[in-house]
Amino acid sequence: MALRAPLSRACTRVTSVSPASSAFLPNASQWRRSNATIAPSATKAASGSKGPTAMVFMNMGGPSTTDEVGDFLSRLFADADLIPLGRLQNYIGPYIAHRRTPKIQKQYAEIGGGSPIRKWSEYQAAEMCKILDKTSPETAPHKPYVAFRYANPLTEDVYKQLLEDGFGGGNGGRAVAFTQYPQYSCSTTGSSLNELWKWRNRLEGKRASGEADPAGAIKWSVIDRWPIHSGLVEAFAQNIEKTLATYPKERRDKVILLFSAHSLPMSVVNRGDTYPAEVAATVYAVMQRLGMKHQYRLVWQSQVGPQPWLGAQTSDTVKNLMKKGQTDMVLIPIAFTSDHIETLFELDKEVIAEDAEGHEGVKRVESLNGNPVFIEALATIAKAHLESGSACSPQMALRCPGCVSERCLAQKEFFAGQAKHLQAE
């Protein structure tokens, strides 16, 4: 189904946003706080003319302990946006999650007992907001939140925390949904936005108040992709250069660069998802920054199940190159902004330690994590977005050519339609 005409025009420049009220909801105590990333109250600091602003980092998340693995996998395999299993999703998904839980628990135990993605996401969001308070005082204070799709802090709990902190719920206020997937996919950013839209509808929209667009609700905008931002490219390039410098000079120029990204089912790719093209754009931008001095390939990891996925697979590529005598390779996790199981276990323990048999010439670059160049880039992206007055990028308004999801349509129309609220203030 094609988007209705107003959607494609909604993601346009607008002029201003309104400050959030400092009042708290009288019944805020009914909401659970245990799983939410808690930001300081909106009443705690003086606001700029357009502040305070909630900056909500969105990502898939990961279990912080091995006890959380089962619930994490259950949510993951229940998400048809990420892993489409057809009409039997509600039956097959729980079965796969249950079968895989013991194995995945062992993997998390081997990387320290849980994923570090929450730690790094909260750090990145907090540090970015510190920079924004200085560079964008008119939208200050900037309140950091982290909303995960499949692990704590879940989107539902973070939305309740926003309300409890004085955003929305009749108070108005501005929030930015900032995807931490640099390259857009309906399976990742799209899924997170579907979840955010769902809880907005339940907590502030028609299911909560009877009104689809109640007065005083949070005014949302979205940073939905940033695959070739110069700061992102520079952070990756510097990390690659540091790793290349560890090779002997006579071998350095012949090292092959393997940019590894999370794969997608071909059913999603063939629907017209932009992810493969945007990942390739990031790779090419990084290679340009490096002067195109090295041979390189874009490869794909983390395939699950028997259906066809985007390839070539990272593990197969490393094994095949090793057989051909190419033993100097650098793996670059190009679609990840911090360490998690895909880097610490899959790349480090499976690909390097097993597939490459621990060969000293096969290495992985450091993940972005607390990289100050990367965090500065996040702040630059956020500041430009706030100054633009845009509700979302023009690309977000265009559905995949093969998309038939009514939920996707409604979600896109909602976020694009936020432009009228930003413009009205």
Side-chain angles (χ1 to χ4, degrees):
M1 181 183 296
L3 284 174
R4 291 189 280 273
L7 177 56
S8 63
R9 299 195 294 267
C11 296
T12 55
R13 178 176 174 82
V14 294
T15 56
S16 64
V17 296
S18 66
S21 167
S22 62
F24 283 88
L25 294 177
N27 59 344
S29 61
Q30 68 180 297
W31 289 314
R32 291 181 291 116
R33 302 172 61 111
S34 59
N35 292 331
T37 297
I38 301 175
S41 165
T43 63
K44 296 296 184 183
S47 298
S49 61
K50 300 178 182 179
T53 306
M55 304 299 299
V56 183
F57 274 26
M58 300 187 306
N59 210 325
M60 70 183 298
S64 297
T65 68
T66 55
D67 289 339
E68 296 178 13
V69 169
D71 288 341
F72 169 76
L73 292 178
S74 293
R75 298 184 189 106
L76 188 145
F77 283 101
D79 184 9
D81 292 326
L82 180 67
I83 303 176
L85 299 174
R87 295 180 179 179
L88 298 179
Q89 183 101 28
N90 292 337
Y91 300 96
I92 298 175
Y95 173 77
I96 296 174
H98 178 73
R99 287 289 301 270
R100 288 179 62 86
T101 292
K103 175 183 177 181
I104 303 303
Q105 283 178 323
K106 291 179 181 179
Q107 293 179 359
Y108 276 104
E110 289 192 39
I111 63 169
S115 172
I117 190 171
R118 179 172 182 172
K119 175 190 75 173
W120 285 121
S121 297
E122 290 178 344
Y123 176 82
Q124 292 164 347
E127 293 301 304
M128 180 200 72
C129 285
K130 290 177 184 178
I131 297 173
L132 281 176
D133 284 346
K134 297 177 182 178
T135 61
S136 184
E138 65 277 10
T139 53
H142 301 86
K143 307 294 185 179
Y145 298 82
V146 172
F148 286 154
R149 181 66 179 84
Y150 312 113
N152 296 327
L154 294 167
T155 304
E156 168 189 2
D157 297 309
V158 174
Y159 209 116
K160 291 173 181 177
Q161 187 66 51
L162 285 165
L163 294 170
E164 203 168 319
D165 287 349
F167 293 95
N171 299 318
R174 173 77 183 275
V176 178
F178 192 167
T179 181
Q180 292 306 293
Y181 305 101
Q183 305 92 2
Y184 183 91
S185 172
C186 293
S187 297
T188 53
T189 298
S191 179
S192 289
L193 289 173
N194 284 341
E195 188 75 358
L196 182 61
W197 169 76
K198 179 181 79 175
W199 285 107
R200 188 269 178 192
N201 190 40
R202 292 184 179 183
L203 297 174
E204 288 200 283
K206 194 168 185 178
R207 290 187 61 179
S209 65
E211 297 181 65
D213 201 7
I218 296 173
K219 289 180 281 292
W220 285 96
S221 63
V222 181
I223 301 174
D224 51 87
R225 70 199 72 207
W226 35 287
I228 57 171
H229 185 270
S230 59
L232 175 70
V233 170
E234 183 63 25
F236 275 127
Q238 288 187 13
N239 281 356
I240 293 169
E241 289 172 334
K242 289 177 184 177
T243 304
L244 287 172
T246 65
Y247 288 86
K249 190 174 182 180
E250 63 273 15
R251 291 163 50 191
R252 195 173 302 158
D253 290 342
K254 296 181 180 179
V255 174
I256 296 175
L257 304 183
L258 296 179
F259 294 88
S260 186
H262 201 297
S263 188
L264 280 182
M266 287 306 298
S267 60
V268 177
V269 175
N270 292 336
R271 194 170 64 209
D273 198 283
T274 63
Y275 176 73
E278 293 192 13
V279 175
T282 307
V283 171
Y284 196 79
V286 172
M287 286 305 303
Q288 283 188 312
R289 159 61 178 78
L290 295 172
M292 292 290 181
K293 298 176 184 177
H294 292 268
Q295 294 179 324
Y296 72 97
R297 285 294 184 271
L298 170 56
V299 292
W300 307 90
Q301 65 180 87
S302 309
Q303 175 177 329
V304 178
Q307 63 179 312
W309 283 58
L310 186 62
Q313 289 292 304
T314 304
S315 59
D316 292 339
T317 301
V318 169
K319 287 184 284 189
N320 289 334
L321 288 173
M322 294 284 290
K323 290 177 182 177
K324 295 174 181 178
Q326 299 279 1
T327 57
D328 286 344
M329 291 173 268
V330 170
L331 298 170
I332 305 109
I334 196 65
F336 306 116
T337 58
S338 71
D339 274 322
H340 40 74
I341 198 167
E342 285 84 355
T343 58
L344 298 175
F345 187 87
E346 188 175 351
L347 291 182
D348 291 353
K349 294 183 178 294
E350 291 186 329
V351 175
I352 295 177
E354 295 179 13
D355 298 333
E357 300 179 346
H359 194 286
E360 58 87 22
V362 183
K363 305 179 182 183
R364 176 177 70 85
V365 302
E366 182 183 0
S367 296
L368 296 176
N369 293 336
N371 186 316
V373 175
F374 174 65
I375 292 172
E376 186 70 40
L378 294 174
T380 302
I381 292 166
K383 182 176 186 292
H385 174 76
L386 290 167
E387 289 178 344
S388 75
S390 296
C392 58
S393 77
Q395 295 306 318
M396 186 174 149
L398 180 64
R399 298 170 74 194
C400 294
C403 179
V404 294
S405 170
E406 292 297 321
R407 180 178 58 173
C408 177
L409 172 63
Q411 172 257 112
K412 286 178 176 289
E413 288 185 328
F414 168 75
F415 286 110
Q418 291 290 286
K420 64 179 181 291
H421 297 299
L422 301 176
Q423 192 171 24
E425 296 293 334

